[in-house]
């Protein structure tokens, strides 16, 4: 793996999540050797900050709305911790359900205008828990070829007949839906926004096909909820009222929302739900307050959209190819895995925290540096990132 240039290391953050971070010497990961070679931080095991007075600019978190460190969100976590404790030490159906869990599930369903919702310890668990509980060997599941690994793994766990259609190709999906008519139940599964490419699934067309061929639709909205679609209700605005389950991020948790019979079935049969301890109260408090903020105003989402457009237009003008469209996931397409890794190293030298992605996270030959814009980035942050990319791109021949 090291020889292929695809080794993945972790970096240690010594501050809260946000647009500016402090990294420690022990947490520089794959950038550590390069940083020490140029004297960026000393040869010792002490936890010291990298030498940028304003901190490292963070452009690789899913913190699109900037709520991870929002003062009201943090305050809600503290209040929940004090009132409900640090955790339940049990699964939901034994002695792990508190009133705040039920309140949050009701709030999630209300936000998405669905009948019910169920909480999970993670988004991965939510995807791992739905397909096996819902589908039998008599059924069929049709999955976009670029779906998230959690969807792929969740589908592998079920015994349904499996179809994979070409990425966002509606002709191929229709052909496979026609072939799947021989099965009892058909479920189309897709990401709403694809996390590695920043492109958005044609949900209206998918739902029209599902309606035509009497299929259900599953949408993973991890990278859409709260900022895509009217008032952040992405899938709802595109699915013609069909009973679609949704999977969404919830800070350190996840959830599925949809028709009440489906949610009731998941409470009885979904293994990650049945055999995982319930979400800690502090996490539930954070999520509940975040939903309140989203339902009160769309100003945060509008700010993020403007900053996304600023970054995309400036990077395109500089000569880079940016995948996707109008999404804060902005993959800088480079192709070569080593080039993506080396450029990311040089970006950190300039105080910009980004990560190079290569196989098996993305297809071979499609390596990239994925940039993610947040509502809490300033225009100056955006411009500084573009300037650093331009310098590093020219240095390594990615730009003329």
């Amino acid at each position: 793996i090291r020889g292929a240039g695809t080794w993945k290391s972790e970096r240690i953050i010594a501050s809260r999540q946000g647009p500016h971070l402090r990294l420690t010497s022990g947490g520089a990961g794959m950038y550590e050797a390069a940083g020490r070679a140029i004297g960026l931080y000393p040869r010792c095991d002490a936890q010291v900050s990298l030498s940028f007075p304003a901190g490292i600019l963070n452009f690789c978190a899913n913190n699109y709305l900037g709520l991870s460190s929002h003062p009201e969100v943090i305050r809600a976590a503290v209040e929940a911790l004090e009132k409900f404790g640090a955790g339940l030490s049990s699964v939901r159906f034994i002695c792990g359900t508190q009133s705040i869990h039920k309140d949050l599930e009701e709030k999630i369903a209300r936000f998405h205008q669905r009948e019910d919702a169920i909480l999970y310890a993670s988004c991965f668990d939510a995807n791992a828990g739905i397909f096996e509980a819902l589908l039998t060997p008599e059924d069929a599941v049709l999955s976009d070829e670029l779906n998230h690994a959690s969807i792929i793994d969740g589908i592998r766990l079920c015994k349904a007949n499996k179809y994979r259609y070409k990425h966002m190709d509606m002709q191929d999906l229709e052909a496979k839906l026609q072939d799947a008519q021989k099965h009892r139940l058909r479920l189309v599964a897709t990401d709403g926004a694809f996390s590695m490419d920043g492109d958005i699934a044609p949900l209206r067309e998918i739902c029209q096909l599902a309606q035509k061929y009497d299929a259900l639709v599953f949408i993973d909205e991890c990278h859409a909820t709260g900022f895509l679609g009217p008032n952040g209700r992405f899938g709802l605005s595109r699915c013609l009222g069909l009973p679609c389950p949704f999977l969404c991020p919830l800070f350190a948790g996840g959830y599925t929302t949809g028709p009440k019979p489906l949610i009731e079935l998941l409470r009885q049969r979904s293994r990650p739900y049945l055999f995982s301890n319930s979400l800690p109260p502090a996490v539930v408090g954070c999520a509940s307050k975040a939903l309140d903020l989203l339902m009160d105003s769309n100003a945060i989402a509008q700010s993020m959209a403007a900053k996304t457009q600023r970054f995309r237009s400036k990077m395109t003008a500089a000569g880079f190819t940016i995948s996707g469209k109008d999404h804060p996931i902005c993959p800088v397409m480079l192709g070569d895995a080593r080039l993506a890794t080396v450029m990311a190293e040089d970006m950190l030298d300039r105080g910009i925290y980004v990560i190079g992605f290569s196989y098996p996270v993305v297809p071979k030959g499609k390596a990239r540096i994925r940039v993610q814009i947040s509502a809490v980035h300033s225009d100056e942050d955006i411009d500084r990132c573009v300037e650093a990319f331009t310098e590093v791109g020219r240095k390594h021949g990615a730009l003329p």
Side-chain angles (χ1 to χ4, degrees):
I1 299 174
R2 290 184 188 276
T6 58
W7 185 267
K8 298 164 189 64
S9 298
E10 297 178 356
R11 283 171 276 178
I12 301 172
I13 298 171
S15 60
R16 65 179 59 185
Q17 182 65 269
H20 300 86
L21 300 175
R22 287 188 299 108
L23 301 184
T24 68
S25 63
M30 60 184 168
Y31 307 109
E32 186 169 354
R36 284 181 174 161
I38 64 171
L40 190 59
Y41 43 83
R43 296 177 179 275
C44 68
D45 295 326
Q47 300 287 297
V48 296
S49 298
L50 294 178
S51 54
F52 290 93
I56 302 293
L57 272 177
N58 179 20
F59 278 93
C60 57
N62 299 338
N63 189 25
Y64 305 115
L65 296 170
L67 298 180
S68 292
S69 298
H70 193 286
E72 291 187 44
V73 171
I74 294 173
R75 191 177 308 116
V78 173
E79 292 173 357
L81 184 67
E82 291 176 341
K83 183 176 181 179
F84 292 98
L88 278 299
S89 305
S90 184
V91 300
R92 285 283 296 269
F93 80 95
I94 299 177
C95 63
T97 299
Q98 291 176 317
S99 57
I100 52 173
H101 294 101
K102 300 305 297 182
D103 292 344
L104 178 56
E105 288 171 338
E106 291 173 5
K107 187 177 292 187
I108 289 168
R110 188 165 68 252
F111 175 78
H112 287 284
Q113 299 179 24
R114 297 292 164 180
E115 294 178 0
D116 203 354
I118 180 173
L119 297 174
Y120 286 88
S122 71
C123 296
F124 205 106
D125 277 351
N127 273 349
I130 188 171
F131 300 101
E132 183 182 26
L134 181 63
L135 303 176
T136 74
E138 301 178 56
D139 304 318
V141 57
L142 303 92
S143 176
D144 188 293
E145 65 179 350
L146 293 187
N147 274 340
H148 190 269
S150 59
I151 299 177
I152 295 169
D153 285 2
I155 290 172
R156 285 173 176 167
L157 290 171
C158 78
K159 297 181 180 179
N161 298 275
K162 300 169 179 66
Y163 295 79
R164 187 173 66 172
Y165 63 92
K166 296 176 183 177
H167 181 48
M168 302 199 307
D169 187 325
M170 294 300 96
Q171 288 186 334
D172 193 39
L173 174 58
E174 182 166 20
K176 288 180 168 57
L177 277 168
Q178 291 170 347
D179 189 39
Q181 289 300 293
K182 56 183 176 283
H183 302 297
R184 182 190 69 123
L185 180 72
R186 291 155 297 284
L187 175 67
V188 180
T190 182
D191 277 312
F194 290 83
S195 61
M196 287 297 132
D197 296 272
D199 47 11
I200 299 171
L203 296 186
R204 186 173 297 277
E205 290 83 356
I206 289 173
C207 290
Q208 287 172 342
L209 287 174
Q211 196 169 49
K212 180 178 178 180
Y213 292 99
D214 192 25
L216 295 173
V217 178
F218 169 90
I219 307 167
D220 182 329
E221 288 206 2
C222 271
H223 299 274
T225 294
F227 59 90
L228 290 187
N231 299 314
R233 296 171 175 87
F234 174 57
L236 182 68
S237 66
R238 291 168 167 80
C239 293
L240 309 177
L242 289 176
C244 309
F246 295 103
L247 167 73
C248 302
L250 189 66
F251 292 96
Y255 61 82
T256 298
T257 183
K260 192 172 185 64
L262 168 67
I263 303 304
E264 290 177 339
L265 177 64
L266 293 178
R267 292 194 195 280
Q268 301 301 315
R269 296 286 181 85
S270 182
R271 292 172 67 83
Y273 177 82
L274 289 170
F275 299 107
S276 296
N277 279 0
S278 57
L279 274 177
V283 176
V284 178
C286 282
S288 184
K289 176 55 67 174
L291 276 176
D292 290 341
L293 293 171
L294 292 180
M295 289 188 282
D296 286 345
S297 171
N298 64 351
I300 299 175
Q302 291 175 341
S303 172
M304 186 212 63
K307 289 163 186 174
T308 296
Q309 178 58 33
R310 185 183 186 93
F311 179 81
R312 284 181 169 271
S313 62
K314 283 179 172 286
M315 287 289 285
T316 301
F320 288 102
T321 298
I322 310 299
S323 179
K325 181 181 179 182
D326 300 330
H327 195 283
I329 293 174
C330 304
V332 182
M333 304 304 293
L334 299 169
D336 181 77
R338 289 181 181 276
L339 176 62
T341 299
V342 172
M343 282 186 59
E345 291 174 358
D346 278 2
M347 290 292 287
L348 187 63
D349 291 348
R350 289 162 173 78
I352 309 293
Y353 186 150
V354 289
I355 295 291
F357 288 84
S358 55
Y359 181 83
V361 180
V362 297
K364 289 182 178 179
K366 294 188 177 182
R368 68 207 61 184
I369 293 176
R370 185 181 67 172
V371 175
Q372 291 168 280
I373 305 300
S374 172
V376 288
H377 283 129
S378 67
D379 288 346
E380 292 74 17
D381 293 339
I382 301 289
D383 295 347
R384 180 177 156 193
C385 183
V386 173
E387 290 169 5
F389 260 112
T390 303
E391 292 175 10
V392 171
R394 287 173 179 160
K395 174 182 174 182
H396 293 283
L399 290 178

